[in-house]
Amino acid sequence: MIKMTFVLTRLPHLSREQFQDYWLNTHAPLVASLREPLRIRRYVQLHSLPADVSASLRQSRGGPEGYDGVAQLWWDSFEDMAGAGDEAAREAGRLLLEDEKRFVDLSRSPLWWGVEHIIF
């Protein structure tokens, strides 16, 4: 199982609430509708709470400003994910990126591939 982690920062003109509402109620259904051509096994959104809720935790560790949320997507393998490279998958990927540009500041939103190690 491989996982893509996407740490999202909203576009500056959106409030955190507007961003999270769009992400959950507009973008999530789009991802769900495209799961088959992209062979996505699982999709999870983790929405951040207001910054003041985490301020003391962040400050106690000297951490950076927070993000607006984290998305995680699962595939069975790189081979399975790459196998979704047909025309339908390319179009699905294009639609997702087009929609992400409406609410995500892509230049400030890191993403990476990883393998999960469950400790307990």
Side-chain angles (χ1 to χ4, degrees), residues 22-94:
Y22 186 92
W23 184 26
L24 182 62
N25 296 305
T26 302
H27 189 71
L30 177 61
V31 176
S33 75
L34 299 170
R35 74 182 293 184
E36 294 300 323
L38 292 172
R39 300 183 182 178
I40 298 169
R41 185 65 166 284
R42 185 173 181 190
Y43 173 55
V44 174
Q45 294 182 352
L46 175 62
H47 292 225
S48 65
L49 294 174
D52 61 323
V53 173
S54 300
S56 62
L57 177 63
R58 181 182 60 77
Q59 291 168 353
S60 72
R61 295 172 179 262
E65 292 299 316
Y67 293 95
D68 296 298
V70 175
Q72 291 189 318
L73 296 94
W74 281 252
W75 283 265
D76 287 326
S77 66
F78 276 122
E79 295 76 24
D80 193 56
M81 186 272 307
D86 62 14
E87 185 58 36
R90 282 191 293 279
E91 176 62 12
R94 186 192 67 74

